[in-house]
Amino acid sequence: MARPNEVVAAALQEYADLIAITGGDAFRARTYEKAARGVAGHATDVATLDLKGLEQIPGVGKSTAEKIVEFLTTGRMAALEQLRAKVPAGVLELIAIPGLGPAKAMALHRELGVSSVDELVHAIEAGRLSGLRGFGAKTAANILHGIEVLRHSGGRVLVSAALEVAEEVIAALSALPGCEKCTYAGSLRRGRDSIGDVDVLVASRDSKPIMAAFTELPLVGEVIAGGPAKTSIRTTTGLQVDLRVVPPESWGAALQYFTGSKEHNIRVREIAVRKGLKLSEYGLFRAEDDTLLVSETEEEVYERLGLPWIAPTLREDRGEVAAARNGTLPDLVTEADIRGDLHTHTNLTDGVSTLEEMLAAARARGYRYYAVTDHAKNMPMQRMTDAKMLAQRKKLQALAEGGKMALLHGSELNIDPDGAVDWDADFLAGFDICVASVHSHFTQTPAELTERFVKACENPYVNIIGHPTTRLIGRRKPVEPDWDAVFDAAAATGTAMEVNAFPDRLDLPDELIMRARERGVKFAINTDAHSTVHLDMLRFGIAIAQRGWLTPADVINTWTLTRLKAFIAAKRRTA
Ligand code: DGT
Ligand code: CA
Ligand code: CA
Ligand code: ZN
C-alpha cells in the first residue's frame, strides 16, 4: 500500500474538494487542503501517531486529527462519506481537468446535469455552456484544452506513483520461498518521466506459486491476463503491472530484454546478428546451432557482444550503443555525487517544514552545503517581505555557525514577463545564491519567452533557472521559447539550468538536457523540497539527469563549495 501519510492526505484532499464542490465554506475547504499537504509532507508515519502527535503536524487541528484517527482505525471517515454521497463520482472527475475548479464543476453539474468528462465534452460541442454565467467562449475553449492535456497523459502515471506500486509488489514477492531474484524492469528501470505500466521480473524455478501470490496482493483491482510465464493485473488505482517469471539461468537476458527500450534492444540485436548470434529474452545463442552462450547476468550478455554494460537510463537508442562500442559512454552523475541541494523551501513561504527541520533532514543526508531559497516577494500569495527575508538570513547564519554543513541563503525569484526579477541589485547582492523561475504568463509568444529567459540569464545575481519549462506532467504543457537561444545565453553568462527532481516536474526534461549540454550549459539537480520528505526525491532528478547523459562535471552541486562559490562570484563580477 501507499504510505499511510499519502492515503490520509488523499482522503483529506478529497474532503476539501468535496466541501468546495458542495458550496461549503471556502475557508474550511482550505483548512483541509492545508492539512492534506501537511500530512503528505510529514516525515513521521501518521499511523504511529496519537491524537496529540497528529496535532503537531502543520495544518492539522483538533477536528482534523480526530478524523485522521477515525480513518486510521476504521478505514472510513464519516464526514467524507457523507459528502461523497451528495456528489456523483463524475463531478470529482471534472475537477481533475486543468483549469476547472470546484465551483465551475458544481455549476456544470447543477445547471446542465453534467457528471462526467465525456458529458462535458458533449455539452461544450452542443454549445450548451454559452447560456451559463461565467462560461464564455474563452472558458469553454480553455476547458477543452484542459481535457486534451488530461487525455494526452494517455493513462501514464508519474514515476513516483509507479515506483511505489513496484516496491510494494517486489517486497511481497521477494518474501516468497521460491523467489530467487525480483526487480522492476521497463520504463521504470530506465527512469522515464512517466510510466505506462510497471514491469516486474522474478527468477524462480516454479512460477505457479509466484503468479498465485501476485494475483492475491491487496493492491490488485482486477486480473487482466494470467499464464505461467506472464500475468498482468490492474491495481485498484488503475495502473497495470506485468509480472514475468523466468528461470534463474535466463535472468540476465530477460532483464536486458524487458528493460528495453524496444529501440535499444533492436540496436543491440543488430550487433548480435552481425556476430552470428541470436539474442532473445531467453539468452544469447549461437545462430547456427542454437547453443546457449550466456544469459545469467546482463553484464555477460553485453560483454559477449563486445560491449560494456550500459546503464538502463541510457537505453533509448540515442547513441549509447555506438558510444559503448567506442568506449565513450559518459561517466554518469549519481546520487552519491550530489554535495548539496540548491533549491528548497521552508514554512516561511509555502513549505510545510520549519527551517530547523529542513536543515536536520539535509544534514542526515550528509550534505556538505545546502541552500534555503524561499519564494520572493512578487508572488503575492507567499506574503514575502524584505524584513522576513533578512530575518531568515540572520537566523540561518546563526544556525550555520560551527556546523559541518555550509548554509547558503538564497531565494527563488520570479521572472516577470519582461525578464526582470523581484529585487534590485543591491538587495540581490545580499544573497549567497539565487534561483529564478517563471511562475506566471505562461502563454507569452515564443519570442517573448526567449527574451524573458535570456534577460533573466543576463542578471548577474541569477545563478540557476528553476524548473525551466514550467511543465506539470499530465497537467500543464511546457513553455516553448527558442531553447537553443536560451541555452546559449545560459552558457555564456554562467547560469545553470535546473533539473528539478519533483516527480510531477522533472524539468528540464531529458531531451532538453541533452540539447543544453551540447551547448555548454551547466546544471543543478535540485529537489525544490517543500518538506523534509521531499529531499528524497533527488533520485528522480538523478535519473532524468542520467537520461540527459550528464556527468558530475556538468552539475554544479556535485562541485566543492569552493568551486561552486567561484562559479557564483565569476558571474557577479559582470555586475
Ligand atoms: P511504458 O510501459 O510504456 O512506460 O514503456 P516500457 O518500455 O516499459 O514498455 P513495455 O511495458 O511495453 O515493455 C517493457 C519492455 O519489454 C520494453 O521496454 C522492451 C520489451 N519489449 C516489449 N515488447 C517488445 C517488442 O515487441 N520488441 C522488443 N524488442 N522488445 C519489447
Ligand atoms: Ca512498462
Ligand atoms: Ca509492460
Ligand atoms: Zn518554483
Side-chain angles (χ1 to χ4, degrees):
M1 269 294 129
R3 226 164 63 94
N5 294 33
E6 309 283 334
V7 180
V8 169
L12 293 172
Q13 181 62 49
E14 186 185 348
Y15 188 53
D17 289 343
L18 286 169
I19 292 172
I21 285 184
T22 53
D25 181 1
F27 179 76
R28 267 191 80 221
R30 267 204 302 280
T31 303
Y32 285 101
E33 204 173 306
K34 261 194 169 154
R37 273 198 284 138
V39 167
H42 198 58
T44 315
D45 181 343
V46 288
T48 66
L49 296 176
D50 60 6
L51 214 51
K52 282 252 138 38
L54 290 169
E55 282 180 52
Q56 302 303 311
I57 300 175
V60 175
K62 183 151 177 290
S63 99
T64 308
E66 283 167 359
K67 289 191 177 65
I68 296 175
V69 170
E70 178 198 355
F71 186 69
L72 288 170
T73 49
T74 68
R76 304 177 61 249
M77 203 182 284
L80 173 62
E81 309 273 333
Q82 264 167 29
L83 282 188
R84 270 186 186 156
K86 286 193 196 166
V87 177
V91 177
L92 265 185
E93 200 183 291
L94 295 183
I95 64 168
I97 299 170
L100 194 68
K104 283 207 162 66
M106 203 54 194
L108 288 167
H109 177 62
R110 205 176 43 231
E111 307 292 329
L112 302 177
V114 167
S115 56
S116 74
V117 176
D118 281 338
E119 285 176 25
L120 177 55
V121 173
H122 289 148
I124 293 173
E125 283 170 356
R128 289 171 60 213
L129 261 61
S130 55
L132 274 188
R133 212 154 56 88
F135 289 86
K138 193 154 175 223
T139 308
N142 279 341
I143 294 174
L144 280 180
H145 175 75
I147 293 172
E148 195 202 321
V149 170
L150 190 70
R151 294 199 165 149
H152 201 71
S153 61
R156 300 183 70 84
V157 304
L158 297 182
V159 61
S160 48
L163 183 65
E164 205 167 274
V165 167
E167 283 180 340
E168 186 178 340
V169 170
I170 289 167
L173 299 184
S174 299
L176 299 173
C179 175
E180 295 190 17
K181 281 181 188 154
C182 181
T183 192
Y184 53 80
S187 53
L188 185 57
R189 185 164 180 241
R190 302 199 310 280
R192 265 193 72 174
D193 56 9
S194 73
I195 305 296
D197 67 19
V198 172
D199 301 281
V200 175
L201 196 62
V202 161
S204 175
R205 305 218 167 271
D206 187 7
S207 76
K208 242 195 184 149
I210 310 251
M211 294 301 188
F214 178 55
T215 56
E216 294 297 313
L217 291 178
L219 58 70
V220 174
E222 69 173 308
V223 177
I224 303 167
K230 176 180 170 185
T231 296
S232 297
I233 62 102
R234 201 177 297 288
T235 67
T236 47
T237 57
L239 177 60
Q240 182 172 329
V241 184
D242 295 339
L243 171 65
R244 280 137 182 133
V245 180
V246 300
E249 53 277 10
S250 302
W251 175 259
L255 183 57
Q256 198 285 326
Y257 182 88
F258 291 113
T259 295
S261 66
K262 201 168 148 182
E263 293 73 18
H264 171 84
N265 289 355
I266 290 170
R267 197 65 71 203
V268 172
R269 253 198 329 263
E270 283 170 5
I271 295 184
V273 170
R274 261 185 266 134
K275 290 184 182 290
L277 307 172
K278 238 169 55 186
L279 179 63
S280 74
E281 61 265 51
Y282 307 105
L284 186 61
F285 302 86
R286 192 150 55 214
E288 50 182 37
D289 58 3
D290 277 345
T291 311
L292 176 65
L293 299 174
V294 288
S295 68
E296 258 190 73
T297 70
E298 264 192 344
E299 285 81 355
E300 278 176 355
V301 171
Y302 282 106
E303 193 188 343
R304 188 64 184 72
L305 292 171
L307 300 173
W309 181 79
I310 300 174
T313 43
L314 293 181
R315 299 184 197 171
E316 296 291 347
D317 189 25
R318 294 175 182 160
E320 73 280 5
V321 175
R325 255 204 320 247
N326 304 336
T328 54
L329 280 174
D331 161 32
L332 295 175
V333 62
T334 67
E335 217 175 323
D337 294 319
I338 299 296
R339 287 177 196 251
D341 205 320
L342 300 177
H343 180 178
T344 71
H345 298 271
T346 74
N347 65 354
L348 184 62
T349 54
D350 58 352
V352 299
S353 306
T354 63
L355 178 61
E356 288 84 351
E357 287 165 344
M358 294 303 285
L359 297 183
R363 285 199 186 93
R365 293 185 60 93
Y367 283 151
R368 310 289 187 80
Y369 49 78
Y370 182 80
V372 176
T373 58
D374 270 313
H375 287 287
K377 69 172 181 184
N378 289 357
M379 205 185 246
M381 252 165 37
Q382 308 294 346
R383 298 197 178 88
M384 179 52 79
T385 61
D386 296 9
K388 275 196 204 174
M389 226 5 146
L390 295 174
Q392 184 187 54
R393 182 175 307 159
K394 234 176 157 177
K395 194 168 156 189
L396 195 76
Q397 283 161 351
L399 288 166
E401 207 67 39
K404 269 197 229 144
M405 186 173 76
L407 299 183
L408 304 175
H409 190 239
S411 177
E412 181 182 9
L413 308 169
N414 301 291
I415 305 175
D416 79 13
D418 299 325
V421 298
D422 308 63
W423 281 292
D424 62 18
D426 275 352
F427 196 84
L428 290 175
F431 288 109
D432 299 314
I433 188 167
C434 287
V435 178
S437 313
V438 166
H439 288 127
S440 67
H441 301 83
F442 305 110
T443 54
Q444 283 182 319
T445 65
E448 288 166 339
L449 283 163
T450 306
E451 203 175 320
R452 182 179 183 185
F453 277 109
V454 168
K455 189 162 170 218
C457 287
E458 286 168 351
N459 186 319
Y461 299 98
V462 169
N463 307 111
I464 300 168
I465 302 293
H467 46 71
T469 79
T470 77
R471 73 170 177 170
L472 292 173
I473 298 171
R475 286 188 292 142
R476 184 164 73 213
K477 287 193 180 161
V479 294
E480 284 172 352
D482 174 351
W483 283 117
D484 290 336
V486 175
F487 295 153
D488 285 344
T493 55
T495 312
M497 285 282 148
E498 184 169 70
V499 178
N500 188 297
F502 228 83
D504 65 353
R505 288 196 183 271
L506 296 173
D507 188 6
L508 291 173
D510 47 19
E511 300 89 346
L512 285 177
I513 295 174
M514 289 181 100
R515 239 164 97 183
R517 181 172 182 264
E518 275 163 24
R519 306 186 91 87
V521 171
K522 298 296 178 204
F523 301 84
I525 307 173
N526 298 325
T527 63
D528 197 356
H530 282 65
S531 133
T532 54
V533 295
H534 293 160
L535 293 177
D536 294 337
M537 292 178 171
L538 183 69
R539 60 189 298 180
F540 302 117
I542 294 286
I544 293 299
Q546 290 190 347
R547 292 173 59 82
W549 291 50
L550 295 191
T551 69
D554 300 315
V555 179
I556 64 170
N557 53 328
T558 68
W559 298 352
T560 62
L561 181 61
T562 313
R563 184 166 174 208
L564 175 64
K565 281 187 165 169
F567 176 78
I568 295 166
K571 186 170 187 191
R572 287 189 178 198
R573 277 197 292 275
T574 65

